[in-house]
Amino acid sequence: MINSILDNDLYKFTMQMAVLEMFPDTVVEYRFNNRGEQRFSEDFLRELRKIIDEDIPAITLSEDEYQWLKKACPFFKPMYLEYLKNYRFDPDEVTVSLNDENDLDITIKGFWHSSILWEIVLMPTISELYFDTVENDWKKDNSGSCSEDNVIEEYTSFIEKMAWELETNQCLYSEFGTRRRRSSKLHDSVVGALHIMDSFMGTSNVYLAKKYNCKPIGTIGHEWIMGISALVGLKNANLFSLERWVDMYKGDLGIALSDTFGSRAFFDNFNLKLAKLYDGVRHDSGDPFKFVDQVIEHYNMLNIVPASKLIVFSDSLQPLDAANIKDYCHGKIKCSFGIGTNLTNNPEFFVEEPPLNMVIKLYKVNDIPVVKLSDDEGKETGDINALRVANYVFRRKGLDDY
């Protein structure tokens, strides 16, 4: 189910290098959160544990992959590439069980630089294993015979039509669907079909970027800002995380993630220096049209020409969403799109067996609880008391509003 150590999203590797250099002794804890209704079985659990204990620790960086990374990702330092060559997944970092409601309890705990890669190895494994062992009717035809290849072929044609809508509307987009893909084979088929299209910019999946000779796409995830909030404090966590990223990458990977603690907190820290240094910002929650207005207003206030900057939209996008957002941005600011589950496990195609609605999020850093607030209350994650404090600090809610 995991084809390579590179079968992971680029931003995990870029964050891993930064963590290794800047916070080598930091210990973290991640937790799994199933937001949906699907449940699991003992057979599923046994197979998942076997994959965690035996299959994933056997994955290593090959010499061919090492040499490709040096050329395709010149921002990776030689020291880090040597670290990755010697890296091995440690199954002792992962605790997994079923609770009384047959839902998964997963905790990942270890040094930040070591445990950081587990999230986007475990999530596609959980998804593929679920649709292989629990809800697997999608693989069968009317007679009950297995026809997975036929389904993948039909699904890829469905995605190609979706991609032509994006192409027709000249929407530049990247594929961000590793975490909740239905299967690695389906994911491969989708990227194989899309990578020849003019509007396709690349994929977050480094393995598939190498396989199809397209650009690996990614900068940072919320955990970078969440983790730093525990080390330097909540109020200016955006500021410190953005500054440390510049220190690390010297102008490369310059898209700032805006919604970890809500966009208002982000703009409070996104000063003139950072607004000039970063190429643009990423939108991942909340009303995209209001966000466009906020970004343009902020750049104008700093006397920066908004049309020189970029917004990357990545919040549950369909082609019509992207086309409408592009029209709204036209003549004001540049835009592109990161499309995830709707490319690799689209619920409009798999109506009867929709994708898992799950996340694995950073939960503690050096035993300090951390949170993600976002611009959408439904995406809040973290300990309830830590959420109360963070919402109070950022003037979003009172302490007693829970």
Side-chain angles (χ1 to χ4, degrees), residues 5 7 18 99 143 147 172 187 251 271-272 306 308 318 325 336 351:
I5 195 172
D7 195 2
N99 63 24
S143 67
S147 57
L172 300 177
H187 190 187
N271 58 30
L272 177 62
S308 68
Q318 293 282 11
I325 293 169
S336 67
V351 177

Side-chain angles (χ1 to χ4, degrees), residues 7 10 38 43 72 77 146 152 207 210 303-304 328 393:
D7 195 2
L10 179 66
Q38 294 103 324
D43 287 342
K77 297 180 180 182
C146 183
I152 290 176
Y207 168 78
K210 177 181 183 296
N303 293 314
I304 295 173
Y328 193 76
V393 166

Side-chain angles (χ1 to χ4, degrees), residues 240-309:
F240 284 106
S241 63
L242 290 167
E243 287 182 336
R244 298 306 294 271
W245 198 254
V246 171
D247 293 341
M248 189 73 210
Y249 285 104
K250 314 298 183 187
D252 275 324
L253 309 175
I255 299 296
L257 183 55
S258 62
D259 72 329
T260 306
F261 305 118
S263 56
R264 182 170 68 174
F266 169 80
F267 288 120
D268 285 347
N269 282 167
F270 199 49
N271 58 30
L272 177 62
K273 171 189 170 183
L274 294 171
K276 284 190 172 183
L277 286 174
Y278 278 82
D279 301 320
V281 297
R282 177 156 75 93
H283 169 270
D284 197 49
S285 63
D287 187 320
F289 303 101
K290 288 182 180 178
F291 184 75
V292 171
D293 294 340
Q294 285 179 296
V295 172
I296 290 172
E297 180 183 0
H298 190 74
Y299 281 132
N300 282 332
M301 182 184 70
L302 298 173
N303 293 314
I304 295 173
V305 178
S308 68
K309 298 294 183 176

Side-chain angles (χ1 to χ4, degrees), residues 144-326:
S145 300
C146 183
S147 57
E148 182 179 357
D149 288 343
N150 292 338
V151 175
I152 290 176
E153 185 177 343
E154 291 174 14
Y155 181 80
T156 304
S157 296
F158 170 83
I159 293 299
E160 284 179 310
K161 292 176 184 176
M162 176 175 163
W164 278 114
E165 290 183 54
L166 293 164
E167 192 102 350
T168 300
N169 289 293
Q170 298 181 318
C171 295
L172 300 177
Y173 69 97
S174 303
E175 182 275 312
F176 283 7
T178 302
R179 292 182 301 162
R180 300 180 189 92
R181 68 190 182 195
R182 185 149 296 235
S183 73
S184 60
K185 191 173 182 180
L186 181 147
H187 190 187
D188 190 309
S189 180
V190 166
V191 175
L194 298 183
H195 83 283
I196 59 173
M197 296 187 173
D198 291 337
S199 57
F200 183 75
M201 299 177 65
T203 172
S204 63
N205 187 286
V206 185
Y207 168 78
L208 292 175
K210 177 181 183 296
K211 180 173 181 177
Y212 290 105
N213 193 30
C214 56
K215 186 176 180 179
I217 302 290
T219 51
I220 60 173
H222 295 98
E223 73 171 277
W224 174 250
I225 305 161
M226 293 165 67
I228 286 179
S229 75
L231 302 174
V232 305
L234 275 168
K235 189 67 175 176
N236 292 307
N238 281 302
L239 176 65
F240 284 106
S241 63
L242 290 167
E243 287 182 336
R244 298 306 294 271
W245 198 254
V246 171
D247 293 341
M248 189 73 210
Y249 285 104
K250 314 298 183 187
D252 275 324
L253 309 175
I255 299 296
L257 183 55
S258 62
D259 72 329
T260 306
F261 305 118
S263 56
R264 182 170 68 174
F266 169 80
F267 288 120
D268 285 347
N269 282 167
F270 199 49
N271 58 30
L272 177 62
K273 171 189 170 183
L274 294 171
K276 284 190 172 183
L277 286 174
Y278 278 82
D279 301 320
V281 297
R282 177 156 75 93
H283 169 270
D284 197 49
S285 63
D287 187 320
F289 303 101
K290 288 182 180 178
F291 184 75
V292 171
D293 294 340
Q294 285 179 296
V295 172
I296 290 172
E297 180 183 0
H298 190 74
Y299 281 132
N300 282 332
M301 182 184 70
L302 298 173
N303 293 314
I304 295 173
V305 178
S308 68
K309 298 294 183 176
L310 171 71
I311 303 176
V312 179
F313 296 90
S314 60
D315 184 21
S316 304
L317 295 167
Q318 293 282 11
L320 182 60
D321 301 323
N324 289 337
I325 293 169
K326 181 178 182 294

Side-chain angles (χ1 to χ4, degrees), residues 8-26:
N8 207 313
D9 283 343
L10 179 66
Y11 76 159
K12 279 292 181 173
F13 298 111
T14 57
M15 289 191 294
Q16 186 181 45
M17 185 172 86
V19 166
L20 181 64
E21 182 164 320
M22 297 181 178
F23 311 112
D25 298 323
T26 298

